[in-house]
Amino acid sequence: MSTSIKVTSEFGRLREVIVHRPGRELARMTPSTRDYFLFDDLLSDEHARQEHDWLIEILRDHLGIKIHYFDDMLAEALRRRGQAYVRFGLRNAEAYRVLFMYKDHVPEGVDHERLSRSETFNHLVESVQRCLDAGAFRPGDPFQIAIGLWVLVHGITSLLLAAPAFPWPEQPDELVDRLVTDHLQGLLP
């Protein structure tokens, strides 16, 4: 007798799934928290990862389900944000120059502390924190990592605007993608 595996969702056949491979969070599991998380027993980190990999192999290789890793999606979102930042700067070149490329662009009386609490920048810091919490990045200071990401995309944007005669690629998306991806690779655990 052969056994057939069928995986469905509330919408029918499951075609894609987002997964998270067990990581550092297993170390936070204690006898007192295991019941809260509905586990019968404490899990061995290695055993949990083996079972996860086995399940993913079945879903992907035997059932044809496309697998999306949550950690990769977090990093991908940051990569896309970097690309969008550069595209915005290039499409709004004059405004970008005025806002970011003049030495004395901050008017007198502006609260520098308030500038560091920018909603946009804080959103980037929060996104980096999510990557750190998920184990997508090696441990670090989310504020410092966010500054590094901003410096990268600002530097690319500024150079593309300030040195148009340089032989840049016709479509800078590939350059931006490569540099942002390389930077993110350096943050991986």
Side-chain angles (χ1 to χ4, degrees), residues 18-31:
I18 299 171
V19 298
H20 171 69
R21 188 168 193 261
R24 296 178 311 178
E25 67 278 354
L26 290 177
R28 297 185 193 114
M29 186 79 66
T30 66

Side-chain angles (χ1 to χ4, degrees), residues 131-142:
C131 288
L132 290 165
D133 292 343
F137 291 167
R138 68 177 188 277
D141 178 354

Side-chain angles (χ1 to χ4, degrees), residues 152-165:
L152 173 69
V153 294
H154 170 66
I156 295 167
T157 307
S158 298
L159 284 169
L160 288 168
L161 291 174

Side-chain angles (χ1 to χ4, degrees), residues 18 34 41 61 66 77 102 106 127 154 157 177 183 187:
I18 299 171
R34 124 185 135 205
D41 203 354
D61 300 342
K66 185 172 182 176
Y102 293 118
V106 180
S127 296
H154 170 66
T157 307
D177 184 47
H183 187 81
L187 296 170

Side-chain angles (χ1 to χ4, degrees), residues 26 28-34 39-45:
L26 290 177
R28 297 185 193 114
M29 186 79 66
T30 66
S32 62
T33 60
R34 124 185 135 205
F39 284 95
D40 294 331
D41 203 354
L42 293 178
L43 297 172
S44 147
D45 295 6

Side-chain angles (χ1 to χ4, degrees), residues 56-125:
I56 295 307
E57 181 182 332
I58 291 171
L59 293 174
R60 183 188 56 234
D61 300 342
H62 299 285
L63 300 174
I65 295 171
K66 185 172 182 176
I67 307 298
H68 301 278
Y69 282 91
F70 182 69
D71 300 0
D72 295 342
M73 294 174 72
L74 289 171
E76 173 66 12
L78 284 175
R79 188 183 66 74
R80 288 184 182 196
R81 179 180 287 177
Q83 289 176 325
Y85 181 99
V86 175
R87 273 194 310 275
F88 176 84
L90 296 178
R91 289 180 183 153
N92 300 278
E94 288 310 308
Y96 190 88
R97 283 186 184 98
V98 169
L99 287 171
F100 296 111
M101 294 176 64
Y102 293 118
K103 181 180 175 189
D104 298 319
H105 73 277
V106 180
E108 254 184 67
V110 169
D111 179 1
H112 290 276
E113 183 68 26
R114 184 171 172 236
L115 284 177
S116 71
R117 293 189 313 261
S118 155
E119 292 278 335
T120 304
F121 184 73
N122 283 333
H123 191 264
L124 176 59
V125 173

